[in-house]
Amino acid sequence: MATELATELRSKRRGAFLGELEGLDPRYGLAGWALRDNGTAEPELLIRITLEDLLNPQQRWKLADLPANRVRPELRSLGLPSGCGFAFLGHNGRDLPPRSSGMVIRAFFDEACSLELPGSPLRIDAERYQQLRQLCRTGLGREACLGPVRGPVIVGWAIGAGPYSLSIDGEEPIAIAPPDPLPQHEWPIQLKLPAACCDGGESSTLQMSRRSNHQRF
């Protein structure tokens, strides 16, 4: 950083780093900012995010390694480069362990987890637990996702009734019917691919959409 550090940033310094874990928001995910204390945002700076139980120090789960390179224009007003944000937007398929009263999210400047960001640890109460659980399972703002192809079958998940459809190589969409009764959480997709797609040739292009507004996932 510049030799004269803004007053509001002085408490954000940890060793050779500056940063802050800002919190968990259902609209933006788990967000913050970080950089080396030389005024430049470096893409190789990875912020390690873990989930831990302070009542049981042996319990630690890695959630993500996040590059601190997201553009945050509002940080310029603090004299920071704009490209030093990070955000955990979730991912498909990972569920959380049962919540305990000692559960926290922690964010570290280094892989060895020796330098912790200001704002960390973040206590996980019942509300935050549900937000984080949904974020980890489905990802921020996602209503459907295609997973891997397993032999002649493609898997994935969706939320709500849709209606959803799958298009393969631009061919006529295949309707995907939701389960009945419709669950409140995401439901699994498991579709057998047409024989024409299983010829051992070049890979096909798969595209899933919600037919009501042609939103693609």
Side-chain angles (χ1 to χ4, degrees):
M1 288 294 299
T3 52
E4 193 63 36
L5 194 64
T7 302
E8 57 265 46
L9 292 178
R10 291 173 186 169
S11 62
K12 312 301 182 186
R13 177 185 280 148
R14 295 292 185 272
F17 301 93
L18 284 172
E20 182 179 17
L21 177 63
E22 295 168 315
L24 177 62
D25 187 288
R27 299 167 297 172
Y28 308 117
L30 181 70
W33 58 271
L35 70 159
R36 299 185 190 278
D37 195 5
N38 58 9
T40 61
E42 302 184 29
E44 68 269 21
L45 178 59
L46 294 179
I47 303 303
R48 173 151 294 187
I49 306 294
T50 65
L51 182 68
E52 302 185 24
D53 186 350
L54 297 182
L55 300 180
N56 187 347
Q58 302 304 314
Q59 296 295 313
R60 171 182 285 182
W61 303 268
K62 174 185 168 182
L63 289 181
D65 284 331
L66 305 174
N69 60 6
R70 293 176 65 88
V71 176
R72 295 277 303 274
E74 75 279 8
L75 294 177
R76 291 197 188 101
S77 64
L78 296 174
L80 296 170
S82 62
C84 62
F86 64 85
F88 177 59
L89 305 179
H91 46 80
N92 179 31
R94 180 175 297 183
D95 209 346
L96 299 182
R99 191 182 78 87
S100 82
S101 58
M103 186 171 281
V104 296
I105 293 174
R106 300 182 73 182
F108 299 90
F109 288 106
D110 59 328
E111 186 177 329
C113 299
S114 61
L115 282 174
E116 194 163 1
L117 274 72
S120 175
L122 178 66
R123 181 175 174 270
I124 300 300
D125 57 17
E127 181 180 0
R128 281 179 177 155
Y129 178 83
Q130 292 304 326
Q131 291 175 356
L132 182 64
R133 187 179 186 215
Q134 188 68 20
L135 188 66
C136 286
R137 293 176 73 181
T138 65
L140 184 65
R142 301 172 72 183
E143 297 177 303
C145 181
L146 291 178
V149 175
R150 297 171 179 167
V153 175
I154 185 169
V155 299
W157 55 263
I159 298 174
Y164 296 100
S165 63
L166 176 68
S167 177
I168 303 174
D169 291 334
E171 297 294 332
E172 188 69 22
I174 302 170
I176 302 174
D180 185 17
L182 186 69
Q184 294 183 348
H185 53 77
E186 70 273 10
W187 44 271
I189 294 171
Q190 187 167 335
L191 289 176
K192 187 173 182 179
L193 294 172
C197 297
C198 305
D199 57 3
E202 295 183 1
S203 60
S204 296
T205 300
L206 305 175
Q207 193 172 84
M208 186 174 174
S209 64
R210 192 174 64 194
R211 287 179 289 157
S212 58
N213 62 1
H214 304 287
Q215 182 176 353
R216 297 175 181 177
F217 304 100

